[in-house]
Amino acid sequence: MTADDRRVARYAAAAIALSVAEAALPSPLPGVKPGLANIIVLVVLARHGWRDAAWVSLLRVLAGSLAIGQFLAPGFFLALAGAVCSLAVLALAQALPLRWFGPVTASVLAAFAHIGGQLLLARAWLVPHDGVFFLLPLFATAALVFGTINGLIAARLLALPRESAPS
Amino acid sequence: MSDRLPDGLRELLRTAAGAGSGPWHQLLRPGDWLLLLVSAALVAVSYPLLWRGGVADRAIVKRDGQLVTELALNVPRRFEVEGAIGTTVIEVQPGRARVLSDPGPRQYCVQQGWLTRVNAVAICAPNHVTLQLGGRGGANAGYDSINY
């Protein structure tokens, strides 16, 4: 086990804790969630690069679903589709100049990719009808709001002086 | 206790407890503002684009799935259809239509009231008669009130 593995595991633990805590929150519409665990993914992305962020994100989906009893349920596959799409978009967003685009851009783009991936999977598999896209404006609004908030929190966290180097 | 928490979570709790300073807007870079504005505009546009029902302009009356008549929704009128167990009366007014009376025992299609949206449908199953609104569809042209 390398120091890299430990670091990824520690961040993933934080992300899992957030997604389990979030599962306890009531939601007005299934699928509309703050996605607090993505704050951790954004922080890891900025500090340690895309590879570590992908590990944290996918471990979060896997272990988070195990912890709340969703593993291999439809919600798990929707979360996985969202996470994979988000990571793909974050990989592209890495090309944006850092001087102009900060964590908020990454967060909002990832949030849109997340709902995009979920809706496409839902359309292809769970609800084989274009009716699912009727919900798109609501999901997009939630993605914009929560993406902005999560991005701001991540930006604030990244602006903090590091308290210690990770062991 | 706090040193047993994972890094990210500890930092997040510190942030939540008010560590760090400065107003929130300083965390946004110029491109972030641009992206937020463009996204907000796109989201705002998506509502009318995806939620537009289209304009209903005709009432389609069918019996046993076969077209009986199409009534334009611009003049008020009544139309009677002979069905399997009696006569269904359709009433049309500008922009809307309803089943005024039907011999069916449960009267579902009558109680549905006025139909106003494109593809809304009232089904008088016992009498084998359906009333559906048609029109130039928007993005929702493929939906009807069964599916939604």
Side-chain angles (χ1 to χ4, degrees):
Chain A
M1 187 188 281
T2 65
D4 269 13
D5 295 340
R6 288 211 181 82
R7 188 179 63 219
V8 165
R10 288 170 75 99
Y11 280 119
I16 293 161
L18 286 173
S19 59
V20 170
E22 186 176 270
L25 295 174
S27 164
L29 188 66
V32 173
K33 282 193 282 185
L36 296 175
N38 296 318
I39 298 168
I40 304 294
V41 176
L42 290 167
V43 169
V44 175
L45 180 75
R47 282 186 185 155
H48 306 291
W50 186 84
R51 203 190 71 96
D52 280 18
W55 269 112
V56 170
S57 172
L58 295 175
L59 280 172
R60 194 275 294 176
V61 171
L62 186 73
S65 72
L66 281 173
I68 59 176
Q70 280 271 312
F71 184 55
L72 297 185
F76 165 76
F77 291 104
L78 290 175
L80 189 62
V84 168
C85 284
S86 292
L87 288 170
V89 166
L90 285 175
L92 296 176
Q94 291 288 84
L96 292 170
L98 274 178
R99 192 174 134 66
W100 297 100
F101 296 95
V104 176
T105 292
S107 178
V108 170
L109 288 178
F112 281 130
H114 201 97
I115 54 152
Q118 289 193 324
L119 275 181
L120 287 179
L121 181 67
R123 168 67 183 84
W125 177 43
L126 294 174
V127 190
H129 186 272
D130 285 335
V132 287
F133 295 114
F134 194 76
L135 295 172
L136 187 60
L138 289 179
F139 284 140
T141 306
L144 180 59
V145 171
F146 291 131
T148 306
I149 293 172
N150 289 349
L152 284 170
I153 295 173
R156 179 150 223 169
L157 221 150
L158 287 164
L160 284 181
R162 299 294 298 277
E163 51 182 17
S164 62
S167 49
Chain B
M1 163 68 189
S2 111
D3 61 323
R4 302 193 72 94
L5 286 171
D7 296 345
L9 205 55
R10 188 169 60 239
E11 286 176 285
L12 196 61
L13 291 176
R14 274 177 67 209
T15 313
S21 58
W24 288 97
H25 65 79
Q26 282 183 358
L27 300 168
L28 288 162
R29 296 172 205 174
D32 294 337
W33 284 110
L34 184 70
L35 181 93
L36 287 182
L37 284 177
V38 171
S39 313
L42 285 177
V43 168
V45 163
S46 75
Y47 278 90
L49 210 63
L50 286 164
W51 284 8
R52 181 179 55 202
V55 183
D57 60 8
R58 62 187 190 279
I60 302 157
V61 182
K62 291 183 180 174
R63 199 209 138 170
D64 292 315
Q66 304 296 312
L67 186 68
V68 174
T69 186
E70 291 198 4
L71 309 165
L73 287 191
N74 46 14
V75 270
R77 62 174 294 186
R78 283 184 190 178
F79 185 84
E80 296 187 357
V81 205
E82 287 304 316
I85 56 171
T87 305
T88 299
V89 182
I90 309 288
E91 182 178 11
V92 169
Q93 282 190 358
R96 56 185 193 167
R98 68 171 169 178
V99 178
L100 185 64
S101 72
D102 179 75
R106 279 172 288 276
Q107 299 286 300
Y108 289 136
C109 58
V110 179
Q111 288 176 18
Q112 216 172 327
W114 290 103
L115 308 182
T116 54
R117 295 177 66 104
V118 171
N119 292 329
V121 62
I123 300 172
C124 303
N127 208 20
H128 299 197
V129 171
T130 65
L131 165 68
Q132 183 172 12
L133 297 196
R136 296 177 310 281
N140 290 331
Y143 310 155
D144 55 41
S145 56
I146 302 293
N147 285 305
Y148 237 97

